[in-house]
Amino acid sequence: MDAAGHKVEDECAEYAEQPQSDFITTQGGKLLCSKIIHLIHSNSVSVKTQVSKVLNECELRMYKSVAFPAIGTGQAGQSPAKVADDMLDAIVEFASNRSVQHLKKIKIVIFQTNMLRDFYDSMKKRENLESPTTDSWVHGLLKSLWRGKNKTPEKKKPVVLKEKVDIAIFQICGESKKNVDATESWIKNLILKEQLENIISDELIENFDEKQIDTLADLQRRKHVTIQLEKKASPPHIKVSGISRDVCFVYMEVQKLIQKMKDTQEEQSKAELVYNLVEWRYPGSNNSFVPFDKLTNMQLEDAKIAKKPHLTIKINKKNCKVNLNTLQVTNDQGKTISIQRVPKNEGKS
């Protein structure tokens, strides 16, 4: 309220003299928004109900976006895990309504670092319930809630996996056409018996770049299978054909490749969210402090939350040992420097 300014306080005071039900709406004041919706606390109304009413109000007023704090985790003292579940339940139900036309962006702003895991777990739980091949509005919304803004993809040169075809020629000679035909049929049946085709579908296949395609080409060459990459199909998929044992091996390797991409994406998303909450810095030139890269920033914050006494990181490509109690860093040569931990949005609630 302090950040919004006196005009918003005065507007709230005017509404306070009038009978109200669930919320009041004021101007945005000094905040970077057009309107502020103030919820009226009631022990009889759940967080899920409150969030649902706000979302419906935003759609009714044709607002394009809305940002929520972690409702009820302050003076109301509600469990962050329960609040996370209630808020996301309301958002998923709202997003499932096909009549929604105006509200396109929903954000949850978490100022308290210790609540990060509760919301993260709740979002991942819902994302995993969605089929990875489902092109659903809800699935996309959950990903945007957790992963932030979707950046416009850079135009990349298309990468194509060359199909590998090895031709084997059989020349069959026999005493009669009947024997030759029988032998040809036996060979065909034997080939078909040993052949297997497997299809792997996942939305991340659409993001396969040169690195992943090179891996597929190497698997195709080494295991003598045929791999068809369909990035533009719905859903994107990879078809593997060949001898059963080789197809099974390649299938498992492709699954590992996709899982590695998911793990990397998840780690980057978490690092981005942690960076929005707290920034770790080390001394640079001219007596200034420089932010660590986002992954190192996350590692430092995770170590602090876990109350680890020490952590080994890299500064300027050199190994350094961090004392998380004193925030002192010592490099391999014994030189010691001090680092900083700076919470963002400190003092807001």
Side-chain angles (χ1 to χ4, degrees), residues 157-342:
K157 183 179 178 181
V159 185
V160 179
L161 175 67
K162 293 181 180 179
E163 187 172 339
K164 172 183 173 291
V165 179
D166 289 333
I167 299 176
I169 299 175
F170 290 84
Q171 292 184 337
I172 307 171
C173 302
E175 294 179 351
S176 65
K177 185 177 185 300
K178 181 180 178 181
N179 290 343
V180 170
D181 290 344
T183 303
E184 181 184 0
S185 178
W186 176 80
I187 291 173
K188 285 182 177 179
N189 289 334
L190 190 63
I191 292 172
L192 289 174
K193 185 179 179 181
E194 290 296 322
Q195 290 289 305
L196 179 66
E197 184 180 276
N198 225 325
I199 296 176
I200 306 153
S201 300
D202 196 286
E203 61 181 357
L204 282 180
I205 292 173
E206 186 179 0
N207 299 328
F208 271 35
D209 59 17
E210 189 171 357
K211 181 180 178 182
Q212 284 82 38
I213 291 176
D214 284 346
T215 301
L216 294 180
D218 180 65
L219 286 169
Q220 184 173 246
R221 182 176 59 255
R222 288 191 296 111
K223 303 308 291 185
H224 304 288
V225 296
T226 298
I227 299 177
Q228 293 175 266
L229 175 61
E230 300 291 344
K231 293 174 63 175
K232 300 302 180 184
S234 181
H237 63 267
I238 294 171
K239 185 186 292 184
V240 185
S241 306
I243 297 176
S244 301
R245 64 174 183 273
D246 296 326
V247 170
C248 291
F249 177 87
V250 171
Y251 176 86
M252 296 304 297
E253 291 301 306
V254 173
Q255 291 287 13
K256 290 177 185 177
L257 189 64
I258 293 171
Q259 187 58 50
K260 185 177 180 181
M261 291 177 67
K262 288 180 178 178
D263 292 342
T264 300
Q265 194 176 66
E266 182 179 315
E267 186 177 46
Q268 290 172 345
S269 299
K270 183 185 174 185
E272 182 67 33
L273 187 55
V274 172
Y275 182 75
N276 290 332
L277 298 172
V278 63
E279 183 176 277
W280 288 78
R281 303 170 180 171
Y282 64 94
S285 58
N286 301 323
N287 296 321
S288 62
F289 277 80
V290 181
F292 283 96
D293 65 85
K294 293 177 181 178
L295 287 178
T296 305
N297 188 80
M298 178 185 67
Q299 290 166 3
L300 285 163
E301 187 63 14
D302 284 349
K304 183 180 184 301
I305 292 173
K307 296 182 179 179
K308 292 183 179 179
H310 299 96
L311 179 70
T312 300
I313 60 171
K314 286 186 180 291
I315 298 179
N316 297 327
K317 298 182 179 180
K318 295 181 179 179
N319 287 331
C320 300
K321 188 174 183 180
V322 182
N323 184 320
L324 290 160
N325 295 320
T326 63
L327 299 189
Q328 298 288 308
V329 178
T330 306
N331 63 16
D332 291 338
Q333 287 75 42
K335 183 180 178 182
T336 301
I337 59 173
S338 296
I339 60 174
Q340 295 179 341
R341 178 184 180 275
V342 183

Side-chain angles (χ1 to χ4, degrees), residues 67-135:
F68 290 92
I71 296 171
T73 57
Q75 292 182 352
Q78 296 196 42
S79 161
K82 178 67 166 59
V83 167
D85 286 341
D86 280 357
M87 293 185 72
L88 288 172
D89 282 345
I91 292 170
V92 169
E93 285 183 11
F94 177 80
S96 301
N97 187 347
R98 294 292 177 179
S99 64
V100 174
Q101 297 179 359
H102 305 289
L103 188 59
K104 301 298 182 184
K105 186 183 293 184
I106 303 170
K107 289 186 177 182
I108 299 176
V109 182
I110 307 168
F111 295 115
Q112 299 87 345
T113 308
N114 60 316
M115 294 183 191
L116 176 62
R117 174 56 60 180
D118 296 302
F119 279 83
Y120 174 78
D121 289 343
S122 188
M123 286 180 180
K124 289 300 297 181
K125 179 171 62 180
R126 281 158 181 76
E127 188 176 26
N128 290 337
L129 290 175
E130 290 287 331
S131 167
T133 61
T134 301
D135 184 18

Side-chain angles (χ1 to χ4, degrees), residues 1-13:
M1 187 66 77
D2 291 337
H6 293 296
K7 289 185 179 180
V8 175
E9 290 186 18
D10 294 341
E11 197 172 350
C12 286

